Every structure is written in structure tokens, then in C-alpha cells.
Amino acid sequence: MFRRALAISCLLFAAGGTLAEVGEPVTVRDPHYGDVLFHFYKGDYFESLVRLTAAQEKSRVDNHAEEAELLKGGLALSYGLHEEAGEIFDALLASTTKPEIRDRTWFFMAKIRYQRGYLDEAGQALAAIGGELPKELEPERRLLHAQILIQQERFDEAIALLDGWKGPKGWSDYARYNLGVALVRGGRFADGAALLERVGRLSDDRDEMLGLKDKANVALGFTWLKNEQPERARPILQRVRLNGPFSTKALLGVGWADSDKGDYRSALTPWTELQARNVLDAAVQESLLAVPYALGKLNATRQAAAEYESAILTFSREQQRLEAAIADIDSGRMLERLLDAPEQSDASGWYWQLNALPDSTEGRYLYLLMASHQFQEGLKNYRDTLALRENLQNWKSSIVVFESILETRAEGYATRLPQIEQSLEAADIGEIRERHAAMQARLNDIESRRDVIALANRNERRAAEELALVKQNPVLQYSTPEIEDARNRIRLMEGVLRWSADRDFPARVWRQRKALQDIGRVIVAAERARFAVDDARINEPAALNEFDARIRNLEPRINEKLIALEQSLDRQRGYLHGLAKQELRQQYERLDTYTVQARFALAAVYDRATAASNANGASEDTQ
């Protein structure tokens, strides 16, 4: 829980979010950073990391430079790339002046150093944090600090750090459990027992906390057993749930507590219950020896012998199954079955974990190993390496597509360039620009002279022309009342016509200027097209050749990476198979030890029975 929460916080805070704020708006000033965050929040961390790296190389996230580096470091850390993440965080500390960035970076540096086992350096990194971390990170800093103090055996400081702390629900309880176990192992039994007792009596009924309570009670109960105080161990072990993951060990401990007090009949109750459970459990295997031991103490010799013989047969059958499981692992199918299970999630990095075991020969023996951090981390690395291989294989298959795209582009260039050149040459852009300039000059002259008729519409021009023809009629030269009235009418019509044209003159000037501006933009676009064509004629062949060279270099580079990945997969596969086989061999050796103990105990039972029989026979002879 502690490691996972640190990992999640590392990534979310690097991305500008929090556990409580996933989905809330994040201010994005660079579109490419928004694209990176989109893939990040979608859960596609590999794609997010690839796009972030590409955007940084093209200087497309400059407005988020420090946040982007923090996110990149968190993503690298989630994939187990501790050295790369450390280099990123070191560079950030050397360059940033923002206190919030520095504090978060120091926190992540402390985590990296802690994971590498550099406890002093991790403590120094935590001490370098100048202010309060965000409220979702502050409890994790305290827990990390407590973990460091515990491993340094600075128990008093760890107790002082955790005592009275009201952190997020459950977190402080995990820390107290770890501290209690460390104190007991360090010889400070009273202090450790007090902490374990406190955790074992939690009132929290959540499944996770119930499991922690059971674990604390088992640890405390067996501690009392080792200190030869079975009367104190028994009630503590009885707190453990009968159906929980620690129930078998608790039942075994309750039996030993009764046995240590000489109450073998009571000890048979939990041990007999254990016998009905999964024989793969070490506590169940031990109960197969404990039951006949108690029967022997109760002088039930015949029953004790039968139980020992049954135990030997059970151990033998399990050893045969273990041999088959080891052979199955050697066949190389174990990892594929683990990763092909439909229950597994698609997340990567820190967020992925093995959710279910396959129904296989070896799966039933490996549940404890597969729940361990060591195996889970190794399996994550193997799965991520498989994903990288698939990614490279997809890129390799895309090379043909790239070549086709490049060929299509080259053909399009060769086909369209002559057509475009012909179209541009048919249009004399220089002459068009001169005519455009002349039209602008004429419009300026019309506006300065306010020649309203020059911008008149068709009807107005026709009317002006007709009036001009009428005014040229010689009859209008005479001076009679009728002709004077006609001249007045002509002047009235001219006035109305000029008044109408003058009224619309500003709007008509504006429309003409807008039309000239539009024409000017078209001319500029045409000139740019001309320049683009000239540029393409010079640069496009070189660009096509460059792309061709890059595409041709892709395949050998991808093949080189694929070879390296195959080697890495072989090493990781061998490592995981080795862990699994080691676990199975340890189980086999434990069963071997139990078998030897059972045989010796059975021989002792027979010896006692023979001795008793001889004693009875001698007594009868005497009589």
C-alpha cells in the first residue's frame, strides 16, 4: 500500500493533479502538453512518455518546462528507471527556482534513494524540503520518514514521529504495525507489543484494515509464544478471523498455546480444523504433524500412528505434484499463462499488478511468491519489456507504409509541380499587381474629388447620361416660359440624382476599398504560392531524399533494439523462473523435512507400542 501510494502521488503531482482532483481542470498553455496529459490521465503512460519526449525535443512544451520534466521523471520512476529519473530530478534541483517544484522534486529524490537503500541520503533529501507539501503528499512524506527511521533502528524518533499523528485513514496504522514488528525484532519487546496491541484492536471494519488487524494479532500472538507466555498468546490469536488470510497461522498458534500449557485435548480442536484446509499452506502441513503429536501425548497410540502414516502419504503426493510443477515451469509456459489471464488490467508501470492466478499446475503452489513485491516487480518489468517489443514490431511493420507514403508524395510532387508552374506562369502576377495599384490610385482620386457619379450604380449612370443628352438639345437655348420650366425640371432631376449618389458615396468607397483589399490578399497568396513552388522545386527533392534515408535507417535500428529486448526478455524470464523454482524447491524441502519428522515420530510410536506390548506380555508371564 505504501509503495503504491507513493508511486501514484509521484505521477499525479508531476502531472499537476492530485488523488482527490483527478479530472479537475489543469491550465494548459502549450497544446502539446495538453496532448501529453490527455494520454497520461487516460492511463496510457507509455504513449504519454513518448509524446512528452518528442515534444521536448521539438521545444513544444516550453511554457510547462519544469512541470513536464517532473512528469517525465515520475513516468521514468514508474517504469523502474531509477537512474534516468534521478538524473532528471538532479537537473531540476539545479535549475528550478520555484519552491513548490523544488520541494516535490526533493520528495521524489528521497523516494529514489530509499528504494536504492541509501537511507542517510534519503533522510537528507526529506530534510531539504523547505515547506509544506500539498496536503495529499504530506502524510506520505511522514510515512517515508518513519520507514527510514525504522530501518536505521532509530525507534524512539520513529515513535515520536508517529505518536498522536492523525494521518489519512489507515496510513498511520500501517506505519505503527511496521514499527511494532521492528521494535520486537530489535529486542524492545514491551514497546513493540504495545504498538501491535494498538493495531490489533482497531475499530476500522474495512477489509484492508481487518487484514492488518489479523496480521498484527498473529505477529503479537507468536511473539508471546516465543516468550513462553501461551496464556497471553491464546486470546490475542483468537481475535483473528476464521476466514481471513491469516486464519491458518492463527489456528496453528492457538493449538500450540494449548499444547504449551499441557492441554493437548484442547489443542486438537484448532489443529483438526486446520487439517481440513488447503494442504499447500505451511500451517496446514504443520498441523498434519501436530495432530498425531497431541494424540501421542494423550496415549492414543493407534490413532497417532494412523495420522502420521496419512501425513507421510499426503507429503509424498504433494512432492510429486511439485516435481510436475517444476517441470511445467521449465517448459516456459508459466509467464505466458500469467499475462494472458483475462482478469489482468491493461495499465503499465507502477499501476499494474497481477490480479489473479492462472489455473495451472504451478499456480496453486506459487500464490505466496506471486503476491511478493520481488516477483510482482519482476513480472512488471517482463510485461513492460514485452510491450516494448510489440511496439517495435508494430513500428517495423509500419516501415512499408512509410515507404508507400513517401513514394506517393514523390509521385504527387512530380505530377503536380508542372501543372502548378503552368498555372502560375499563365497568370502575370506582376501585371495584375500594377492594375491593382492603378485601381487604388483612381479610387483615391475619386474620393479626394468626391466624384460621386464615378461610383454611381448602373441606373444612376444611365440617368446621368440621359440628362446630359437632354441638356444638349438646342431647343433649351430659347427663352420661353415652357422651356424655362423644362430647364428647372432638368436641374431638379440632376440635384436628386447627385443627392442620392452623394448619400451612398461613403458606403460605396468602403465597398470598393474592401474589394481591393480582398484582391490584394489574393495577389499576396498567389505570390506566396509562387515562392512555395520555387522553394519546393529546390528543397522538396532534398527533403524526400532525407526522409528516404531516415526510413531506410529505421529497420536496422529497430532490429538492433529487438535483439537487445529479446536478450533482456530471456534474462528476465530466467530470473522469474528461477524465483518460482526456488520457491517450489523450498516447499519440496519443507515437505521432505516434515516427512523425515513424521517417519521418526511414527517409528517412536511403534517403539512405544512394542515396548508397551512387551511389558504387558512379561507381566502376563509373571502372573
Side-chain angles (χ1 to χ4, degrees), residues 51-356:
R51 289 174 180 266
L52 176 56
T53 303
Q56 286 178 319
E57 289 182 0
K58 299 293 184 180
S59 300
R60 291 172 175 169
V61 290
D62 290 346
N63 288 314
H64 301 274
E66 292 179 342
E67 292 89 346
E69 275 296 285
L70 198 58
L71 176 59
K72 186 176 181 180
L75 287 167
L77 193 58
S78 77
Y79 278 99
L81 303 174
H82 300 102
E83 292 185 6
E84 291 82 349
E87 291 173 0
I88 291 171
F89 293 144
D90 279 333
L92 262 178
L93 290 172
S95 62
T96 186
T97 56
K98 297 179 181 178
E100 65 276 12
I101 295 290
R102 291 185 64 84
D103 286 347
R104 281 153 56 188
T105 304
W106 275 121
F107 174 76
F108 300 145
M109 285 297 294
K111 175 176 172 51
I112 291 175
R113 293 171 180 178
Y114 173 76
Q115 287 188 339
R116 291 180 180 177
Y118 302 150
L119 300 181
D120 291 339
E121 291 81 354
Q124 292 167 7
L126 289 177
I129 298 175
E132 284 281 319
L133 291 174
K135 62 180 181 180
E136 291 81 4
L137 267 186
E138 190 61 35
E140 297 168 30
R141 175 173 74 162
R142 184 184 289 261
L143 283 180
L144 180 58
H145 191 189
Q147 291 289 108
I148 292 170
L149 293 173
I150 290 171
Q151 294 194 31
Q152 291 176 329
E153 299 187 359
R154 295 158 62 184
F155 299 124
D156 289 333
E157 294 177 59
I159 292 173
L161 185 65
L162 297 173
D163 193 35
W165 175 48
K166 301 295 183 183
K169 200 171 184 180
W171 284 75
S172 55
D173 299 317
Y174 271 95
R176 289 187 183 95
Y177 169 79
N178 290 335
L179 181 56
V181 172
L183 286 169
V184 169
R185 291 176 180 173
R188 295 177 56 178
F189 177 77
D191 292 334
L195 285 172
L196 291 175
E197 178 73 20
R198 182 174 174 183
V199 176
R201 291 186 175 275
L202 290 172
S203 59
D204 194 331
D205 291 332
R206 289 179 300 161
D207 288 342
E208 192 170 342
M209 290 298 103
L210 289 174
L212 180 63
K213 287 163 59 177
D214 288 347
K215 193 173 183 180
N217 286 321
V218 168
L220 183 57
F222 273 87
T223 299
W224 285 120
L225 284 176
K226 290 178 182 178
N227 281 269
E228 300 180 355
Q229 298 189 52
E231 68 284 350
R232 301 191 67 173
R234 196 178 198 281
I236 292 172
L237 291 169
Q238 285 181 314
R239 296 177 196 160
V240 179
R241 295 171 297 161
L242 280 175
N243 296 320
F246 302 98
S247 60
T248 56
K249 195 167 184 180
L251 286 169
L252 183 67
V254 170
W256 284 121
D258 290 332
S259 175
D260 288 349
K261 293 186 296 182
D263 189 356
Y264 299 107
R265 192 170 300 279
S266 295
L268 280 172
T269 301
W271 286 346
T272 304
E273 164 65 21
L274 268 179
Q275 282 187 316
R277 300 200 176 194
N278 190 346
V279 73
L280 302 179
D281 193 298
V284 175
Q285 293 170 3
E286 190 171 338
S287 73
L288 296 177
L289 299 179
V291 167
Y293 166 78
L295 290 170
K297 291 291 186 179
L298 293 171
N299 295 319
T301 306
R302 190 183 302 276
Q303 290 175 281
E307 290 290 340
Y308 277 127
E309 289 173 351
S310 176
I312 292 170
L313 183 60
T314 300
F315 295 153
S316 177
R317 283 199 299 263
E318 287 305 314
Q319 284 183 311
Q320 291 173 6
R321 292 186 183 126
L322 283 167
E323 289 173 348
I326 292 172
D328 202 43
I329 291 174
D330 287 333
S331 71
R333 295 191 298 270
M334 180 188 74
L335 295 179
E336 283 65 28
R337 278 198 290 262
L338 286 177
L339 298 178
D340 289 343
E343 296 86 354
Q344 308 310 331
S345 68
D346 294 329
S348 58
W350 252 320
Y351 290 84
W352 184 85
Q353 63 179 359
L354 186 65
N355 295 322

Side-chain angles (χ1 to χ4, degrees), residues 417-450:
L417 182 63
Q419 297 173 354
I420 294 172
E421 286 181 333
Q422 184 178 0
S423 300
L424 289 173
E425 288 174 0
D428 191 343
I429 299 177
E431 180 186 354
I432 294 173
R433 178 169 283 285
E434 290 177 2
R435 290 172 60 189
H436 179 259
M439 292 172 68
Q440 284 185 318
R442 183 163 178 257
L443 180 61
N444 291 337
D445 180 62
I446 289 171
E447 186 177 22
S448 65
R449 293 187 293 104
R450 201 170 182 82

Side-chain angles (χ1 to χ4, degrees), residues 301-302 605-621:
T301 306
R302 190 183 302 276
V605 168
Y606 286 148
D607 288 343
R608 287 196 301 271
T610 302
S613 176
N614 291 336
N616 290 335
S619 175
E620 291 173 2
D621 291 343

Side-chain angles (χ1 to χ4, degrees), residues 492-512:
L492 177 62
M493 292 175 65
E494 284 181 331
V496 171
L497 179 64
R498 183 168 290 277
W499 176 85
S500 176
D502 187 75
R503 180 194 61 189
D504 295 336
F505 184 73
R508 290 170 177 173
V509 169
W510 179 86
R511 284 197 295 272
Q512 291 298 323

